[in-house]
Amino acid sequence: MIIEMPDTTTRDINKRLLKERDEGGAIALGRVLTLIISVGDRDPDEAIDAANDASREHPCRVIVIANDTKDRASNLDAQIRLGGDAGASEVLVLRPSGQLERHLDTLVIPLLLPDAPIVTWWPYEIPENPAEHPLGRMATRRITDTTQCAHPNTALRALAAAHTDGDTDLAWTRATLWRGLIAATLDQPPYEQVHKAVVVGESTHPSVDLMAAWLAYALRCPVEIERIKDAPAITQVRLERSSGDIVLDRPDGKTAALRQPDQPEHRIALPIRQLRECLAEELRRLDADEVYGEVLAKGLPRIDA
């Protein structure tokens, strides 16, 4: 069910939510957080779809802030999505204009769930300092996605310079399975030092840089990046050791081959992670991702831009 509310107020939105709850029980109870999504000028539907899927694991209220395309004085158009259009959540799409755009925190405060954590997500372009943004200051966790920025690597290094506990990036989440496989491989004999690591992947994909930065931070060895235009994200990680190279190779973006000295080749399902899967993973934790922070601070400076 989608309810359109042109030229409205947050008070009227709350009244309508209570009315729908009383009349139809349409709104899920037991919600665990408020998810604020700032989409700027972009179509919000892809982000809403991902949030709806994630809400089945993390029931929440989703508040979407989208720029008003009309040149108007202070005005608020809203849309309420419930039931099948909102997963296990309730979705409020707000399109503020005029002065309302300059006070987004004041706009959303009346719509926040009481006594529930707040997560803010920028699925496209990101603020210079998420923790200092009006929507970021009120959040326990701040999620960005540098893979969707116009200049991904510039955005990644800007995030590193402004990192605050509670920040994370879905480019980091997209490399979780790679990090897990590499860590599991190195946890087996022989326990040799890695002399050099090489990460191969798409030329501008920030997950490539974060994977290389993690290796530089964790292994304290030289790391090189081989950038390939239009490759499917990360395509290979190669660790050079005295007994022979460890190679995790995924040229097609679907299945990886793990090759190690004196062992048969292992084939592993390693598809490129989808947005909804990454978002759900980040919503599982509301504490600071300390490893991500250390990688930005100590690993990324060792990687060439």
Side-chain angles (χ1 to χ4, degrees):
M1 177 171 61
I2 297 179
I3 303 167
E4 299 287 351
M5 299 184 67
D7 195 11
T8 188
T9 65
T10 54
R11 176 178 292 184
D12 289 340
I13 295 170
N14 271 321
K15 285 181 179 178
R16 187 59 185 265
L17 287 171
L18 290 173
K19 179 176 181 288
E20 294 300 325
R21 177 184 297 166
D22 292 341
E23 292 184 356
I27 300 175
L29 300 177
R31 292 153 299 181
V32 298
L33 59 89
T34 300
L35 176 62
I36 301 172
I37 307 175
S38 179
V39 300
D41 296 325
R42 304 287 289 271
D43 187 327
D45 282 343
E46 182 180 2
I48 291 173
D49 289 344
N52 286 347
D53 273 8
S55 74
R56 293 182 171 88
E57 182 177 341
H58 314 279
C60 58
R61 172 174 289 179
V62 178
I63 303 174
V64 182
I65 310 293
N67 289 352
D68 193 340
T69 57
K70 303 171 184 176
D71 186 13
R72 299 184 292 178
S74 296
N75 191 81
L76 176 63
D77 290 344
Q79 184 185 82
I80 300 175
R81 302 187 185 188
L82 305 170
D85 293 295
S89 65
E90 55 200 19
V91 179
L92 313 178
V93 182
L94 310 180
R95 294 187 181 275
S97 59
Q99 290 292 328
L100 294 179
E101 291 183 297
R102 300 181 179 91
H103 304 283
L104 296 178
D105 50 347
T106 304
L107 177 67
V108 303
I109 283 173
L111 301 173
L112 300 174
L113 293 175
D115 303 320
I118 301 167
V119 178
T120 300
W121 172 34
W122 292 271
Y124 303 110
E125 295 299 328
I126 62 179
E128 184 176 331
N129 186 340
E132 292 300 320
H133 187 276
L135 297 178
R137 282 196 295 264
M138 65 175 64
T140 304
R141 289 273 280 169
R142 295 164 295 276
I143 302 173
T144 54
D145 191 354
T146 50
T147 64
Q148 299 301 310
C149 292
H151 305 286
N153 289 317
T154 300
L156 177 61
R157 281 161 174 79
L159 287 178
H163 178 75
T164 302
D165 286 348
D167 294 353
T168 196
D169 190 78
L170 294 185
W172 170 253
T173 318
R174 286 183 170 90
T176 297
L177 299 181
W178 282 85
R179 297 195 307 273
L181 287 169
I182 292 297
T185 301
L186 291 174
D187 202 29
Q188 301 174 16
Y191 305 104
E192 293 180 312
Q193 180 181 356
V194 176
H195 303 301
K196 178 183 174 183
V198 179
V199 179
V200 184
E202 208 281 326
S203 54
T204 63
H205 203 294
S207 294
V208 174
D209 293 73
L210 285 170
M211 186 69 193
W214 174 72
L215 291 170
Y217 163 73
L219 301 179
R220 302 292 194 272
C221 70
V223 181
E224 292 183 4
I225 298 177
E226 294 181 8
R227 303 183 187 274
I228 302 174
K229 186 177 180 180
D230 297 327
I234 302 172
T235 59
Q236 186 185 98
V237 173
R238 185 169 69 252
L239 307 179
E240 299 179 3
R241 302 194 299 185
S242 298
S243 62
D245 294 353
I246 296 173
V247 180
L248 184 60
D249 192 24
R250 186 190 65 178
D252 61 357
K254 298 177 182 178
T255 304
L258 176 61
R259 296 187 290 272
Q260 304 176 75
D262 303 322
Q263 292 193 32
E265 179 176 294
H266 297 282
R267 305 291 292 182
I268 304 165
L270 191 60
I272 293 176
R273 304 189 77 189
Q274 300 301 306
L275 174 61
R276 56 198 65 189
E277 179 185 0
C278 295
L279 180 62
E281 178 180 320
E282 287 304 329
L283 294 180
R284 291 184 196 122
R285 60 178 303 168
L286 297 176
D287 58 325
D289 189 337
E290 295 178 355
V291 175
Y292 171 69
E294 290 290 302
V295 166
L296 289 183
K298 299 178 181 179
L300 197 61
R302 302 177 61 177
I303 303 301
D304 293 333

